[in-house]
Amino acid sequence: MYTLNYRKFCLLFILLSHLLIPVSASSNELLKCLGREELVIHKMKMTGPVYKLNQLFITEMASWGGIQLKKKYLKSICANDEYTPSVNFMRSLLIDGGKIFEMKKGVSNANLRALNEGRVKSLLSSIPHIFFKYLSDLQAISSYPHCLNEKIPELPYFLERFKYLEEEYPAKELIKDKLKLNSIFTKIKRLDVILKSCEKIQLKRQGQRKSN
């Protein structure tokens, strides 16, 4: 049910995006994009992982000023139906880092530049934990408690690194394997297949316990 709604969400979001506001590089365009996503979430009465991610990023970006997404990244985040804008934004932050941002034209104030650079650095340091929380929320959809760890082996790889190395290395060093990150996102696109497979595993486990 969740993945069916997710696919409907992506299609409805793209439709509304074309009808309401074209993608451009205006200063508040990312926030507008996230706002349109929030509207679709409300219309579809969705809760769960996407809702939580959307609310987190809206709260974060609402306080930003003087900095914006580069046009090509804005388009890939807000006009890509593989994932919702919030998931696309998270993915871009993980894969491409701070290079997705640029200062608005005319921003020359050194204090404002330093403030924006600090905001980007802070967001990038927290994005791995945001990512793991999102995956944890996806896992909660499954009745089988080991579903994502077994079906997406790249996930425990990163979790182990953070568990044992986070105090010694910066987050960007622990999550720099872009091939594994891309593999996780590719597999998330088939979440419905993964969840169905895990449901069968859980039903089999329950049947075995009853027979014993």
Side-chain angles (χ1 to χ4, degrees), residues 13 46 53 61-62 100 102 108 138 161 179 181 198 208:
F13 176 84
M46 290 181 69
L53 198 62
M61 303 311 297
I100 70 175
E102 64 182 2
S108 57
L138 288 182
R161 288 172 65 82
L179 288 176
L181 284 173
C198 288
Q208 290 174 342

Side-chain angles (χ1 to χ4, degrees), residues 4-63:
L4 178 61
N5 286 339
Y6 185 90
R7 288 192 292 270
K8 288 181 178 178
F9 173 95
C10 291
L11 292 173
L12 182 56
F13 176 84
I14 293 297
L15 175 61
L16 286 177
S17 295
H18 288 306
L19 291 176
L20 294 176
I21 307 172
V23 173
S24 65
S26 65
S27 59
N28 295 319
E29 192 62 30
L30 175 59
L31 195 55
K32 292 178 183 178
C33 173
L34 294 172
R36 295 197 297 274
E37 180 183 31
E38 183 182 37
L39 175 63
V40 177
I41 289 172
H42 177 72
K43 285 182 176 295
M44 296 187 66
K45 299 180 180 180
M46 290 181 69
T47 58
V50 173
Y51 168 78
K52 294 176 183 178
L53 198 62
N54 172 267
Q55 292 300 297
L56 185 152
F57 283 138
I58 284 180
T59 300
E60 173 70 28
M61 303 311 297
S63 63

Side-chain angles (χ1 to χ4, degrees), residues 57-86:
F57 283 138
I58 284 180
T59 300
E60 173 70 28
M61 303 311 297
S63 63
W64 286 37
I67 192 169
Q68 63 190 18
L69 285 175
K70 293 177 181 177
K71 190 173 182 179
K72 70 173 184 177
Y73 290 108
L74 181 64
K75 183 176 181 180
S76 68
I77 289 169
C78 295
N80 181 345
D81 63 358
E82 288 188 335
Y83 310 100
T84 72
S86 290

Side-chain angles (χ1 to χ4, degrees), residues 20-165:
L20 294 176
I21 307 172
V23 173
S24 65
S26 65
S27 59
N28 295 319
E29 192 62 30
L30 175 59
L31 195 55
K32 292 178 183 178
C33 173
L34 294 172
R36 295 197 297 274
E37 180 183 31
E38 183 182 37
L39 175 63
V40 177
I41 289 172
H42 177 72
K43 285 182 176 295
M44 296 187 66
K45 299 180 180 180
M46 290 181 69
T47 58
V50 173
Y51 168 78
K52 294 176 183 178
L53 198 62
N54 172 267
Q55 292 300 297
L56 185 152
F57 283 138
I58 284 180
T59 300
E60 173 70 28
M61 303 311 297
S63 63
W64 286 37
I67 192 169
Q68 63 190 18
L69 285 175
K70 293 177 181 177
K71 190 173 182 179
K72 70 173 184 177
Y73 290 108
L74 181 64
K75 183 176 181 180
S76 68
I77 289 169
C78 295
N80 181 345
D81 63 358
E82 288 188 335
Y83 310 100
T84 72
S86 290
V87 176
N88 277 325
F89 184 40
M90 178 176 63
R91 181 178 181 276
S92 294
L93 287 167
L94 286 163
I95 301 297
D96 299 306
K99 70 180 182 180
I100 70 175
F101 297 106
E102 64 182 2
M103 293 291 176
K104 289 174 57 180
K105 292 181 179 179
V107 175
S108 57
N109 185 288
N111 290 333
L112 181 57
R113 282 183 170 272
L115 177 62
N116 285 327
E117 289 171 359
R119 283 170 170 163
V120 171
K121 184 177 180 180
S122 176
L123 179 59
L124 291 177
S125 67
S126 64
I127 199 64
H129 299 284
I130 293 172
F131 176 53
F132 295 140
K133 178 61 170 63
Y134 172 75
L135 292 173
S136 176
D137 290 338
L138 288 182
Q139 169 60 58
I141 299 170
S142 174
S143 58
Y144 179 50
H146 309 293
C147 183
L148 292 192
N149 279 347
E150 291 185 5
K151 299 299 181 180
I152 307 179
E154 296 85 356
L155 176 55
Y157 165 82
F158 285 119
L159 289 174
E160 287 293 304
R161 288 172 65 82
F162 270 81
K163 181 178 179 180
Y164 295 108
L165 301 175

